[in-house]
Amino acid sequence: MILPTHWDKLTAALFAVDFNANPSEAWRFLAYQGLVEDTPRGMKFFEDFIEQNRDYEPGTGQSTVGHIVSALMSERLVAFDVLPKDPSGRSSKRAFRLWRRRNATAA
């Protein structure tokens, strides 16, 4: 498992979202962040991958998020050759909170 101090932006974004509960929302957030190419093929791959790997048990030293990142990189769906760093996911967590507010209703 990659230590949080060494996370890149894609890893941090996946830790910020609940990809198991709502893979399409997670994909839209990744696209909003500019981390993946927002294509129907990419979204379908992501949703199918999450569904097929719900019960995935990571081996020693790997996390479920690392497994997803590897799959996205293998499919060439990641928009960067070298991903920007996001230690401990600070930037991604803040961006996800702001992004989720877009659907919140005013009180």
Side-chain angles (χ1 to χ4, degrees), residues 33-74:
Q33 290 286 82
L35 300 170
V36 295
E37 297 175 15
D38 191 16
T39 63
R41 181 187 80 79
M43 181 182 240
K44 172 122 177 66
F45 172 82
F46 185 75
E47 289 173 337
D48 290 348
F49 187 83
I50 297 300
E51 185 62 37
Q52 293 167 3
N53 291 278
R54 282 203 196 279
D55 299 323
Y56 173 76
E57 292 294 326
T60 304
Q62 188 172 8
S63 68
T64 303
V65 168
H67 185 61
I68 296 168
V69 169
S70 295
L72 292 174
M73 299 286 265
S74 297

Side-chain angles (χ1 to χ4, degrees), residues 9-10 13-14 17 25-36 46 68 72 99:
K9 203 153 173 95
L10 179 58
L14 284 166
V17 300
E25 180 183 41
W27 177 261
R28 287 191 302 271
F29 177 65
L30 296 177
Y32 166 78
Q33 290 286 82
L35 300 170
V36 295
F46 185 75
I68 296 168
L72 292 174
W99 186 75

